[in-house]
Amino acid sequence: MRNLLMLIAVVACTLAGHAITVQNTAGSLSSLVPDHSITQLTVTGTMDASDFLFISETLTELTAVDLSQVTIVPYEKGLALYGTVTHYGGNEIPRTAFFGKKITSVSLPATVQVIGYAAFAGCDRLATVTIPESVTFIDDYAFSGSGLTSVTLTSAVSHMGKGVFSRCESLTRADIDSKYVGDFAFLGDVALSEVNLGSNVEYVFKGVFNGCKALSAINMDPACRLTRIDDEAFINSGLSSIDLTGQSRLGTIGAWALAQTQLSAIQLADGMTVLGEGALSHNPLLTSVSLPGLGHNHGGGRGGSMAPSQGRTIALIEDYTFAGDGMLNASTLLKKGVARVGAYALYNVSAPIDTMVLPATLTYLGDRAMAGMTGMAVLKTAASDVPELGEEVWAGLDQHSIPLIVPDNESAVLYKAADQWMEFFFDAEDDYLLGDVNGDGVVNISDVTSLIDMLLSDSGGSYLKPADINGDGVINISDVTALIDMLLSDTSSRSLSRIRALVAEQCVVTSDALSLTPITIKAGETINVDVALNNTEHIYTALQCELVLPQGLRLVGVKGVDRGAAHDYYSMAHQDDPCLYTIIGASMQMDPYAGSEGHVMRLIVEADDDFSPDGAEVALANVELVTLQHETYMAGDAMARVNDGSGVEKIVEGREIATVRYINVAGQQSDSPFDGINIVVTTYTDGTTAVNKVIR
C-alpha cells in the first residue's frame, strides 16, 4: 500500500506504445519503467547517477531521450557505479552514460555543467546534440565515435579532455569559442571541412586536427587570441591555408604541428619564439615560409620602418623543422635572430635557389642540417665568426662547385681554414655571383638593364667583377650580350613550370600585359605575329618571356617594331623542347617602350608543310617586364588560337570530335587541361586524330 501511495503521489506515467514519459525522483527510474524495450524516454523531476546506470545497462532499444526538464542531483550513497567510482556531482552526465547506445536524438538539461568520460562515445546514430551554454567541463572521449555532423562549443567551456569528438566520421563543421581545444579533440574526423575559431580561443592542444583530410582552411575571428598551437595539431591533415599574421599573441607552434599538410605558403606571426621539431616538415607543396625575426618590417611610416617584434624572435630552428620540403624556397628563410639550426632542419630542401643566405646571428648548424640541398647555387653567410657545425652538414652537395660568399677578407681566412666550410669554392680575391650586377642575389633580366645603365653612366659601382661576364677584365657592351646569352642558356635548360616558379619567387605581379594578334597560317607558310604591350601601371625598358608554339610551327626570327623599334631582341630554343623558346628584348640606350599601348615586337613564325591548326594555340608565358629603375614585374600569360588560313574554321562533313584527352609532361592523362604544357589528342568520329601542344 505504501508503494502504491508513493507512485500516486510523485509519479505520473504516460505510456504510448514504446514511448514513455516519467516524473522521477532521483534513484527511482528503474521502478518506474517496467518496459525495458521502450525506444523513447522523457524524464522530468530529478535524476542521479544510478538512474543513468539503469538507462545504460537496461534500456537497450532506446533511440530518443529527452532530459530537458530534469535536474541532475549528486549521487553520494557510497556504492560503486560505472566501475569503482562512488561519487558523482550534480548537473553531471555520468561517465559512459549512453556509451554505444542506438540513440538518434538527445535533449540535455539546461543546467547541466559536466559531460562525463565517454558519455556519448560510440553513439554512431546520434547526428545532432545541443550542448547547453551551462556546460563548462567535457571529459575525455565524451562524443568520440559518434554520428555528430556539427558541433558548437561556447566560451563557457573551460575544460576539454582528450579526444572529445575524435573519430566522428560524419562531422563536417565545428564552431569553437572555448578557451582551450583539448588534445586530439577532432582526431581522425575525415569529413571535417569547416572549422571556425571564435574570439575566445587561446590554445589549440596536441593532435587536435590530426588526420582531418577534408580540412583545407581554418577560419579565425579577427579578435581571436591564439597563444599556442601544440604538437601535431594539424599533422596529416588537408590544411592548405592558415592565416596567422594577425595572431600577435601566438608564441609557440609545437613539434610536427603543421607537418604532412597541403600548405603551399605560410607566414608566421610576428613575435613567435618557438617553432617545434619537424613543425613544417614533409609538406610536398610548400614553396614559401616567412619566419618572424628581429628587424622584421612592420610598415611604420613612409616606406616602412625596421623594428624588433617586442624583442622576440625564433632563435632556434629545431631538428627536422623543414625536412623533406622539396619545393621550399629557403634562400632568405633564416632571418636575423636565428642562432642555431638543428639536425636535419633543411634536409632534402632541394628546390633550385640562386643564393642561400645565413644570418649574422647564426652560431651553429646541426648534423646534416642542409644535407640534400642540391638546388643551392651559392651559399652566402653574414656571420663574421665561423658558426660551429655538426656532422656532414652539407652531405650530398658538390661543395667545390658552390661559391661561399663571406662578409669580408678577414672572415674569409677563418672560413677557408674551418672544417667542412673549407670545401666550398672560394675565389682567389673575393666571392661574388657572376651576372648579379645589381647585387640582389639573383641573376635575371633586371641585371641586363643594370649593366646597360652602368655603361651609359660610366659608373662601375662595387659590382665590377659580377659584371665582367666574359672575364676579360673590361666592362663593355660585349658583357651585355654575354649576360643575355647566359640568361638564354640557363633558361633553355629548365622546364616551363620551373621557370614559372622562379619568376614567381623573384617578381612582383602586375596587371600590365602582353597580347598577341590573331594568328592565321597555312601549312608551309611564314607569317608575322605582332605582340602588343598594354602598360598602365609602369613604364618598361626590357622584357623576357617564353614562347610556346604548337607542333608544326617554329620561330625563325624576332625583331622590334613600333614602340620597340629601338630595342634588340634575342631568342633561343629550349634544349629538350623545340616548341619552347626564350625571348629577351632590351635597349642598349635604355629607351623606354613609349606610351601605354601598341606593338613592341614581331615574331616571325613558319609552318611545316603538314601543319594542322586543329585546337592549336600560341602562348607567351612567364612574362617579365623591367622598369627604368631596374624593377622586375611578372605579367600574366598571353594566348592566341591558330586558324587555318582560309578565314573560316575548317569544316569536314561527318567529321565530329569524339574525345579530347590532355597529357602532361609526366605522362598523366585527363579529360581537362593540366597546368603548364599539355599534349592534346583529339579523336574524331571518322577515326582520325589530331595532336597539338597547348599551354594552360
Side-chain angles (χ1 to χ4, degrees):
M1 177 62 104
R2 182 183 178 193
N3 289 339
L4 179 60
L5 291 174
M6 180 188 303
L7 291 176
I8 294 173
V10 299
V11 179
C13 296
T14 303
L15 294 171
H18 284 78
I20 184 170
T21 299
V22 176
Q23 183 178 344
N24 187 57
T25 298
S28 303
L29 190 62
S30 61
S31 64
L32 302 179
V33 183
D35 184 359
H36 295 172
S37 65
I38 62 169
T39 58
Q40 300 178 46
L41 174 64
T42 300
V43 183
T44 62
T46 60
M47 293 179 65
D48 65 14
S50 66
D51 295 315
F52 284 98
L53 183 62
F54 167 71
I55 292 174
S56 62
E57 290 186 346
T58 309
L59 304 184
T60 58
E61 301 302 316
L62 207 57
T63 60
V65 182
D66 184 351
L67 306 178
S68 59
Q69 302 302 312
V70 164
T71 299
I72 303 174
V73 299
Y75 175 83
E76 298 175 334
K77 296 181 179 180
L79 299 175
L81 301 178
Y82 299 102
T84 60
V85 179
T86 60
H87 173 79
Y88 290 88
N91 297 319
E92 175 181 352
I93 305 295
R95 57 193 289 120
T96 67
F98 295 93
F99 181 88
K101 286 291 183 186
K102 300 175 182 178
I103 56 172
T104 59
S105 68
V106 61
S107 297
L108 300 178
T111 56
V112 68
Q113 296 176 347
V114 177
I115 299 177
Y117 176 91
F120 296 93
C123 295
D124 56 3
R125 303 181 189 183
L126 182 62
T128 61
V129 64
T130 299
I131 299 175
E133 294 187 7
S134 56
V135 172
T136 60
F137 188 103
I138 305 177
D139 209 344
D140 298 352
Y141 310 106
F143 296 92
S144 179
S146 68
L148 294 179
T149 58
S150 65
V151 169
T152 299
L153 297 174
T154 70
S155 59
V157 177
S158 59
H159 174 85
M160 285 180 65
K162 296 179 180 178
V164 170
F165 301 101
S166 61
R167 307 297 180 188
C168 294
E169 296 184 356
S170 298
L171 188 66
T172 61
R173 173 172 176 161
D175 296 300
I176 306 167
D177 200 28
S178 56
K179 183 176 181 179
Y180 306 99
V181 187
D183 290 350
F184 309 107
F186 299 94
L187 171 72
D189 291 350
V190 293
L192 183 62
S193 60
E194 181 178 355
V195 171
N196 302 299
L197 300 184
S199 60
N200 291 294
V201 178
E202 294 186 22
Y203 301 94
V204 175
F205 283 158
K206 185 175 182 179
V208 169
F209 300 106
N210 184 342
C212 295
K213 294 293 190 179
L215 185 61
S216 61
I218 299 291
N219 304 315
M220 297 186 193
D221 188 290
C224 184
R225 300 178 293 181
L226 201 60
T227 301
R228 180 184 181 91
I229 298 175
D230 217 335
D231 300 352
E232 302 175 14
F234 293 94
I235 192 172
N236 195 29
S237 71
L239 191 68
S240 62
S241 174
I242 185 169
D243 184 2
L244 300 175
T245 54
Q247 300 302 315
S248 59
R249 297 174 47 154
L250 181 61
T252 297
I253 293 180
W256 313 99
L258 293 162
Q260 295 175 256
T261 71
Q262 299 301 305
L263 285 170
S264 60
I266 186 170
Q267 182 172 346
L268 301 182
D270 282 353
M272 269 187 56
T273 57
V274 177
L275 185 63
E277 177 179 306
L280 282 159
S281 65
H282 302 292
N283 287 314
L285 304 180
L286 191 62
T287 61
S288 174
V289 174
S290 179
L291 295 179
L294 294 174
H296 189 80
N297 190 347
H298 291 269
R302 183 179 297 273
S305 63
M306 305 299 284
S309 303
Q310 302 176 348
R312 298 188 298 167
T313 185
I314 294 178
L316 169 62
I317 303 299
E318 297 273 6
D319 297 351
Y320 303 99
T321 300
F322 305 103
D325 295 342
M327 295 178 63
L328 178 61
N329 176 14
S331 56
T332 57
L333 177 66
L334 305 180
K335 301 287 185 68
K336 180 182 178 182
V338 172
R340 297 175 66 86
V341 176
Y344 296 87
L346 292 158
Y347 182 72
N348 279 353
V349 177
S350 56
I353 53 175
D354 289 301
T355 304
M356 178 67 194
V357 179
L358 304 179
T361 51
L362 186 69
T363 61
Y364 177 77
L365 287 167
D367 295 350
R368 293 179 173 258
M370 300 176 71
M373 292 188 69
T374 53
M376 181 173 66
V378 177
L379 180 62
K380 181 177 182 179
T381 174
S384 298
D385 295 329
V386 180
E388 297 182 12
L389 302 178
E391 297 182 1
E392 298 183 295
V393 172
W394 292 284
L397 277 66
D398 183 10
Q399 289 180 248
H400 294 289
S401 67
I402 300 175
L404 176 63
I405 302 175
V406 297
D408 48 47
N409 291 333
E410 182 178 348
S411 59
V413 174
L414 301 176
Y415 278 95
K416 290 176 182 179
D419 184 41
Q420 295 187 63
W421 293 101
M422 67 174 63
E423 303 300 323
F424 287 102
F425 168 75
F426 292 86
D427 184 77
E429 298 179 13
D430 56 336
D431 298 289
Y432 58 90
L433 178 59
L434 185 64
D436 185 16
V437 181
N438 58 18
D440 63 358
V442 177
V443 180
N444 59 16
I445 184 64
S446 67
D447 291 297
V448 174
T449 61
S450 296
L451 180 51
I452 294 172
D453 205 17
M454 179 190 298
L455 294 175
L456 292 176
S457 61
D458 194 28
S459 59
S462 59
Y463 284 89
L464 287 175
K465 295 197 75 171
D468 185 15
I469 311 301
N470 58 16
D472 62 1
V474 179
I475 311 299
N476 55 25
I477 192 66
S478 65
D479 292 296
V480 176
T481 57
L483 179 54
I484 291 172
D485 286 343
M486 177 193 296
L487 291 174
L488 290 172
S489 298
D490 180 58
T491 305
S492 71
S493 64
R494 297 180 180 179
S495 69
L496 189 66
S497 60
R498 182 59 207 147
I499 298 170
R500 186 184 298 275
L502 290 172
V503 173
E505 291 169 3
Q506 300 166 3
C507 303
V508 178
V509 175
T510 179
S511 61
D512 295 337
L514 298 178
S515 62
L516 292 157
T517 56
I519 300 171
T520 301
I521 188 169
K522 298 178 181 179
E525 187 177 32
T526 300
I527 63 166
N528 296 329
V529 179
D530 287 341
V531 179
L533 171 62
N534 184 295
N535 54 298
T536 57
E537 291 188 11
H538 306 283
I539 298 174
Y540 303 103
T541 183
L543 64 83
Q544 180 174 332
C545 63
E546 270 65 53
L547 171 67
V548 185
L549 294 176
Q551 289 178 328
L553 293 186
R554 57 184 172 275
L555 181 69
V556 295
V558 187
K559 66 178 182 179
V561 292
D562 301 338
R563 298 169 60 195
H567 289 64
D568 297 306
Y569 286 87
Y570 309 83
S571 65
M572 177 177 289
H574 283 224
Q575 297 173 359
D576 300 323
D577 191 343
C579 295
L580 186 61
Y581 303 80
T582 296
I583 297 173
I584 290 177
S587 166
M588 297 303 172
Q589 290 75 40
M590 289 291 289
D591 291 316
Y593 290 118
S596 60
E597 59 182 14
H599 298 139
V600 293
M601 66 177 170
R602 176 168 292 163
L603 311 176
I604 305 169
V605 178
E606 184 178 71
D608 291 344
D609 292 338
D610 58 353
F611 172 70
S612 172
D614 288 347
E617 292 179 330
V618 172
L620 296 174
N622 304 330
V623 179
E624 298 176 69
L625 302 171
V626 184
T627 68
L628 292 165
Q629 292 75 38
H630 316 301
E631 302 164 327
T632 307
Y633 292 87
M634 180 180 183
D637 295 350
M639 302 184 71
R641 194 172 182 84
V642 181
N643 295 322
D644 67 356
S646 65
V648 296
E649 294 292 333
K650 185 181 293 183
I651 301 174
V652 179
E653 185 176 356
R655 190 169 184 252
E656 298 178 354
I657 294 176
T659 61
V660 178
R661 299 292 293 167
Y662 296 86
I663 306 171
N664 65 10
V665 293
Q668 297 171 312
Q669 298 188 31
S670 175
D671 294 331
S672 56
F674 296 92
D675 288 338
I677 294 177
N678 291 258
I679 301 299
V680 185
V681 180
T682 304
T683 303
Y684 296 92
T685 54
D686 63 358
T688 61
T689 60
V691 180
N692 286 286
K693 179 182 291 185
V694 300
I695 180 175
R696 181 178 185 269

